[in-house]
Amino acid sequence: MISKLFQHLFKHIDAFLMTCLFFALLTSLFVLYSASGQSLDRIYAQAVNMGVALSVLWVVANISPQKLERVALILYVLGVLLLIAVALFGSISHGARRWLNIGFTQIQPSELMRIAMPMMLAWFFASREGKPSATNFIVAGLLLAIPVALIMKQPDLGTSLLIASSGFYVLFLAGLSWKFLAGAMVSLLGFMPIFWSMLHDYQRKRIEILFDPTQDPLGAGYHTIQAIIAIGSGGATGKGWLNGTQTQLDFLPERTTDFIFAVFSEEFGFLGNMLLLTLFSIIIMRGLMIASQAQSTFSRLLAGSITLNFFSYAFVNMGMVSGILPVVGVPLPLISYGGTSLVTLCLGFGILMSIHTHKNLVAN
Amino acid sequence: MGAELKNYLHEQHYFRFRLGVAALVVFCLFALLAFRFSYLQIKQYNHYQTLAENNRISLVPIIPNRGLILDKNGVILAHNFFAYTLEITPAKVKNLEETIAEISSLVEVSSLDRKRFKKFREQSHNFESIPIRTHLNEIEAAKFAVNHYRFPGVEIKSRLFRHYPLGKLGSHMIGYIGRINDRDLKNLEESGDLSNYKGSDHIGKSGLEQYYEKQLHGTTGFQQVEIDADGHAVRVLSSTPPIPGDNIILAADSKLQEIAETAFGNHRGALVAINPKTGEVLSYVSQPTFDPNLFVDGIDSESWKALNESLDKPLINRPLRGVYPPGSTFKPFVALAGLEAGKRAPPYSIHDPGFFTLPGKSHRYRDWKPSGHGTVDIQKAITISCDTFFYGLAMEMGIESLTSFVRHFGFGRKSGIDIDNVSGKSENGGLLPTPEWKQRRFKQPWFPGETVIVGIGQGYTLVTPLQLAQATAILANNGVAMKPRMVSQIESAQSGKKQMTPPVVQDRVVLHPDNVEIVKRGMIDVTLPGGTAASVGANAGYSIAAKTGTAQVIGIKQNEKYNESGMNERHLDHALFIAYAPAEDPTIALAVIVENGRHGGSTAGPIARKVMDYYLLGKVPAIEAAKDNKQLTGNTAATTAPPEEELHD
C-alpha cells in the first residue's frame, strides 16, 4: 500500500538523475559549511532553498511535455514584457538594472528567460515541423536576439551570453547549417579587431584585465589571483575538509557563491575535482540520453538545450575560477549558495524528467 | 504515412548526430578543465603551496602623491606634507581591542579615532594597515617608538596630508579634500576607479580639488610582499611605483586674489574676473570665505556648526550658486538687443519725464531720477542708466525676443566652469523668465508690466556673478563667448611637461560692429565725468567700460520712499558693477556684487578698480602697501599707514 503510494508519487522522477542530483546537493552542503566559516544558519538557509527547488522539480516533472509546449509562447512573451518593464522601471543595484520590485519581493526576469528561451525556440521549430529552412533560422535568431539584447543592456553580460548560448543550442540541434556556423565563426573573428578599435581606452583596459588579472591585482584581478592560489595549493588530494587556509583566512572573496569552486578545490584537491567533473559528466550524459530518446521535436530540442546549458554554467564557472575564462558572475550549478539559480536549475531537471517519464505514455 | 515516418526517422537520426557532436565538445572542454586542474594542482603545486601556506603574499598599496595646485606665478595653493600616523595591521594582531586599549595608555586615542578605525576595518582586507591615530606629534611618536616592541602589528608610518598654505584665500575656488565616504566609494565603484584608491583615504570634495580629482590623484602603486607564518614581512617580491598626480596651474594670481578679497572689507559678495579673449578666470572671490584646512581630516562639529549656521553663509560658493537680480548691469545687453533688432537705431531719442506708463494704464514705472533725464538717446541711456528708456525698449521688443537674444550672453544657462561642477551639478543656471516659464512655475499668464521691468534687470530675472562676468567678457570680446575655466595648464609631475588647456569657443553671437560700438561707447562714458561711475574711472591711466547696478532686496511699494537709514542692513540694496578694460583692447572683464552694498558705483566699483589697477598696472592698493610696509619694517603702529586712495568724485 505504502510502496504503491510511493510509486505513484514518484512515478515521474528519474531515479538515476535524482541520485546524481542528491550527491551534488550533499556536496554543496559540505562545501558551504566550510566556505561560510562553519555557519549552520547558512546550511539551514540553503537546505530550505533545496526543499523549494526540489518541490518545483517534482511539480514540473508531473506536467506533461505537451502542456509545457502549450505554455512556451506565453512564458516567452511574459519574459520579454518583464524584461522591458525592468528596463523602464527596474531598481538599480551595483550599477545594473536587473530587478523588478513587485511589492513584497524583487524578481529577476532574466532568470525566467533561462527556461523560457529554449522552450520558445523548441516550440518554434516543433511548430515548423523541425524544417531547417533559412527563414526559420532567421526568425529564430530574432526571437533569440530580443531578450539577449535587453539583458545585455541591464548590463548583465554573463547572463545574456549564457541565455544566448541556451538558444544557440536549440538552433544547433535543430540543424543550423555547418556552413553558417563556420561563416559566423569566421566573421566573428574578423570583426574582433574592428570592435576593439571602436572601444574607448578605459573599456579596452577593462577587457584586458578580464583576461589578465595580474594587471589589476588590487581590484578586479584580486579574486582570480587568490582563487588560483587556493586551487593550486590544494594539490593532488587537497588540504582536507575545513582545512583550506586560503578559505579559512579570508583571502578568498565570494566564497559561498561564485567562487565556491576554489574552496572545494583547495580542500579536496585534484581528486575531488575529477570526481566533481565526473559527476557533472554523468548528469550531462544522462540528459543527452533523455534528449536522444525523446519522441517529439519539442521535447528533444528542449531536453538537449537544458542539458547543454547546464554544461555551460558548470564550464564557465570552473573556467573563470581557475583562470582560463574572464570573471563573469555565474554560480557553480548545484553547489553555489543561492535560491534563485537552484530553483531555475531544478526546473530544468524537472522538465528533463517529465520528458523522460512521459514518453511511454505517448508511445502507448 | 511511410514518407513521414521515414522523415521522422531521418530527423531523429540527424538529431542524434548533432547530440553526438555536442557530447564531443562537452568532453573536450571538460578535458581542458581537467588539464588546467592538473597543471595547477600537480605540476605547479609546490609553487602555489609556497604562496598559500608557508608564505602569504600580501599586496601593499603605495599611495601616489597628490598633485599640487599652483597659481599662475607658481605660488602654492595646495600641497602635501608628511605627518606621523599610528597604524595597525589587523592580520598581525592577536587581540585588537586589547591592543587599542594599550595604545591609548601611551598616546591619546579619541572615540572619533576608534570610530574611524572601525569603519576602515570593515572596508579593507585584513593584511592592510589601517590608521588608528593621525598627526602624532614628535613626543607621541617618540613615546610609541620606545614601546614599539610591545606592539607587534602596530607601526608608526609617515603619511602625506593635504595643506592649504594660504588658508582662507580663494578657498571657494581651490575647494578641499576630505575623507572618502560611502557615497564617494559608490561613485568610484561605478566609474571603475575603486582599485586605484586602495590605501587612499582622501578625495576631492569641492572646488578644483573635486573637478580635477582624476588628474590630481595619480595612480596607486603596489608592492608584493612575502610574509612568513608569523606575519613578518620577509622580502619585497615585486614593486610597481605609484605615478604621482599632475599639478594644476591656475590662470588666477594669488596676489590679485588677495587684493580682491581684501577690497571687500567686511562686505559679503562675489567677484569674478575673466580674460575675455581666453575665458581664463583671473580672480574668483566669494566673501566671506572659510579655511579649507578644517575639512581635510574631518571637521570638528563645533567649527562645522559655526560655518554652517552663520548668517553670512561662508560655505556658499556665491559666484557659482548665488543668484541676484542683475539690476541696471543688464541694460547694456538690453540696449544691444534693441539695436540688433533695429528698434533703437540712432538718432532715435526719447524725452524722459521721470516715469513710464503702459498705454491706457495709470501705473507709473518710476525712473531712479524722479525729475527725469530730459532728451536721451541709446548711448546716453546707458551712460546715465536711464530707466525710462529701457522700460519702453523692453516693452517694444517683447519678452521673448529679448530673452532669446540675451541668452547668447550666457544668461539663463550654465557656463560649465571647471570647479566642483561636474556635469553642471553645482552651478546655478540663473533665470531668464518667459511666459511659458511663468505658466509652468506659477500657473499664471505673463503680464506686460513684467516685460517692462525686465528691461532694467528687475522682476524674475536672476543671474550668478559668474554669469554676469561671463556676459561682460562676451560683450568685451564682440560676441565671441569663450568657455570660462580656472586651470590654464596641467603639469605632469613625472615628466615635468606642462600642457596648456586650450581655449574653447562656446558660442558666437553675430553682432553688427556699429551696434557694439554704440553700447561700448555708452559704457566708457559711464566712467567719465557725468557717468554713474565717474569716480571709478578717475585718474585710471587706462580706459574703462563699465556699468553700475543696484538690485532691490525687498520690494518698495508705489508711492513709498526708499529709506536707507531706517532699514535692517541685510535689507539694503545689493550693489553691482560690471566692467572691462582697457576699453579698446580688453584683457580683463569682471563683475562685482556687494550684498547690501547699496550703490554699485560707490561700493562695488572701487573693488573692481583695485583689481583692474593691479592686473593692468601692477599697482598695489594703498592699504595693501601699508601692510607690506609694516611687515618689512616690523612697525606695528597702524597710524603710519597712509590713508586709503581717494576714490570719491
Side-chain angles (χ1 to χ4, degrees), chain B residues 338-414:
Chain B
L339 286 163
E340 286 290 323
K343 301 278 186 198
R344 288 295 181 270
Y348 179 98
S349 63
I350 62 158
H351 180 79
D352 171 22
F355 60 87
F356 173 83
T357 52
L358 282 166
K361 296 270 163 61
S362 63
H363 182 96
R364 286 184 168 190
Y365 295 91
R366 293 175 297 189
D367 199 293
W368 65 269
K369 192 173 177 187
S371 60
H373 296 282
T375 305
V376 178
D377 67 3
I378 192 156
Q379 188 177 316
K380 189 178 171 197
I382 295 170
T383 307
I384 55 167
S385 202
C386 172
D387 290 336
T388 311
F389 188 93
F390 288 101
Y391 287 141
L393 173 54
M395 195 57 222
E396 206 175 307
M397 279 206 74
I399 186 68
E400 263 147 6
S401 60
L402 183 60
T403 51
S404 72
F405 178 83
V406 296
R407 198 175 292 279
H408 288 295
F409 287 82
F411 294 114
R413 60 181 185 185
K414 299 177 180 189

Side-chain angles (χ1 to χ4, degrees), chain B residues 157-328:
Chain B
K157 289 197 177 173
S158 132
R159 281 208 186 214
L160 278 177
F161 286 88
R162 195 68 155 171
H163 183 239
Y164 303 99
L166 302 187
K168 287 181 159 190
L169 196 75
S171 57
H172 285 99
M173 162 168 72
I174 302 161
Y176 52 84
I177 66 167
R179 297 207 159 264
I180 295 174
N181 60 26
D182 290 347
R183 205 174 45 194
D184 300 321
L185 281 177
K186 224 181 124 203
N187 292 338
L188 286 171
E189 199 178 344
E190 272 167 28
S191 65
D193 293 327
L194 190 59
S195 67
N196 196 27
Y197 279 79
K198 279 270 156 66
S200 300
D201 37 31
H202 287 83
I203 193 166
K205 296 278 187 182
S206 79
L208 294 160
E209 289 274 33
Q210 193 203 61
Y211 192 91
Y212 288 96
E213 175 60 33
K214 228 183 162 71
Q215 289 89 333
L216 288 166
H217 180 263
T219 308
T220 300
F222 54 86
Q223 268 183 344
Q224 263 193 319
V225 182
E226 207 176 270
I227 294 171
D228 69 11
D230 298 327
H232 297 301
V234 180
R235 63 193 165 117
V236 176
L237 293 177
S238 73
S239 177
T240 307
I243 301 169
D246 295 336
N247 299 331
I248 61 175
I249 300 166
L250 310 193
D253 168 352
S254 57
K255 183 72 192 163
L256 179 66
Q257 185 73 18
E258 190 189 344
I259 288 167
E261 289 190 14
T262 312
F264 270 84
N266 292 324
H267 285 295
R268 294 173 302 281
L271 176 149
V272 178
I274 295 175
N275 180 339
K277 289 174 182 158
T278 62
E280 287 174 331
V281 174
L282 306 169
S283 185
Y284 185 96
V285 176
S286 182
Q287 283 289 340
T289 156
F290 62 90
D291 184 355
N293 290 307
L294 288 172
F295 288 86
V296 172
D297 214 23
I299 188 165
D300 61 287
S301 55
E302 229 168 87
S303 312
W304 169 251
K305 214 174 148 190
L307 283 173
N308 198 36
E309 291 175 5
S310 163
L311 275 179
D312 291 342
K313 303 206 183 312
L315 290 178
I316 292 203
N317 193 330
R318 287 173 160 83
L320 198 64
R321 284 187 271 272
V323 286
Y324 307 84
S328 299

Side-chain angles (χ1 to χ4, degrees), chain B residues 28-283:
Chain B
C28 289
L29 290 176
F30 268 2
L32 176 71
L33 282 180
F35 176 77
R36 173 72 175 167
F37 300 151
S38 74
Y39 172 79
L40 292 176
Q41 299 186 303
I42 311 282
K43 188 144 187 286
Q44 295 279 69
Y45 169 67
N46 285 334
H47 173 66
Y48 288 113
Q49 160 80 5
T50 316
L51 290 186
E53 268 189 71
N54 299 335
N55 309 289
R56 271 168 274 154
I57 299 286
S58 93
L59 282 164
V60 183
I62 313 170
I63 309 161
N65 284 1
R66 193 175 176 85
L68 309 178
I69 302 177
L70 308 162
D71 86 344
K72 73 175 216 190
N73 299 318
V75 174
I76 291 172
L77 307 176
H79 69 143
N80 316 299
F81 70 93
F82 282 101
Y84 292 120
T85 64
L86 207 51
E87 304 190 9
I88 300 179
T89 308
K92 300 180 191 168
V93 172
K94 284 219 175 75
N95 189 331
L96 258 182
E97 285 303 313
E98 221 170 79
T99 307
I100 294 173
E102 275 181 55
I103 290 173
S104 58
S105 69
L106 276 177
V107 297
E108 198 199 321
V109 178
S110 68
S111 62
L112 201 78
D113 290 327
R114 282 169 204 264
K115 264 188 219 158
R116 187 176 57 197
F117 180 81
K118 198 170 160 242
K119 202 173 112 198
F120 284 161
R121 176 152 159 64
E122 282 161 8
Q123 294 163 353
S124 37
H125 297 300
N126 254 342
F127 50 74
E128 279 177 309
S129 93
I130 304 163
I132 177 85
R133 247 303 299 280
T134 58
H135 290 99
L136 268 73
N137 61 34
E138 297 285 337
I139 295 169
E140 286 173 317
K143 233 181 186 177
F144 182 82
V146 173
N147 289 283
H148 191 189
Y149 70 94
R150 286 169 51 200
F151 300 99
V154 185
E155 270 172 296
I156 282 199
K157 289 197 177 173
S158 132
R159 281 208 186 214
L160 278 177
F161 286 88
R162 195 68 155 171
H163 183 239
Y164 303 99
L166 302 187
K168 287 181 159 190
L169 196 75
S171 57
H172 285 99
M173 162 168 72
I174 302 161
Y176 52 84
I177 66 167
R179 297 207 159 264
I180 295 174
N181 60 26
D182 290 347
R183 205 174 45 194
D184 300 321
L185 281 177
K186 224 181 124 203
N187 292 338
L188 286 171
E189 199 178 344
E190 272 167 28
S191 65
D193 293 327
L194 190 59
S195 67
N196 196 27
Y197 279 79
K198 279 270 156 66
S200 300
D201 37 31
H202 287 83
I203 193 166
K205 296 278 187 182
S206 79
L208 294 160
E209 289 274 33
Q210 193 203 61
Y211 192 91
Y212 288 96
E213 175 60 33
K214 228 183 162 71
Q215 289 89 333
L216 288 166
H217 180 263
T219 308
T220 300
F222 54 86
Q223 268 183 344
Q224 263 193 319
V225 182
E226 207 176 270
I227 294 171
D228 69 11
D230 298 327
H232 297 301
V234 180
R235 63 193 165 117
V236 176
L237 293 177
S238 73
S239 177
T240 307
I243 301 169
D246 295 336
N247 299 331
I248 61 175
I249 300 166
L250 310 193
D253 168 352
S254 57
K255 183 72 192 163
L256 179 66
Q257 185 73 18
E258 190 189 344
I259 288 167
E261 289 190 14
T262 312
F264 270 84
N266 292 324
H267 285 295
R268 294 173 302 281
L271 176 149
V272 178
I274 295 175
N275 180 339
K277 289 174 182 158
T278 62
E280 287 174 331
V281 174
L282 306 169
S283 185

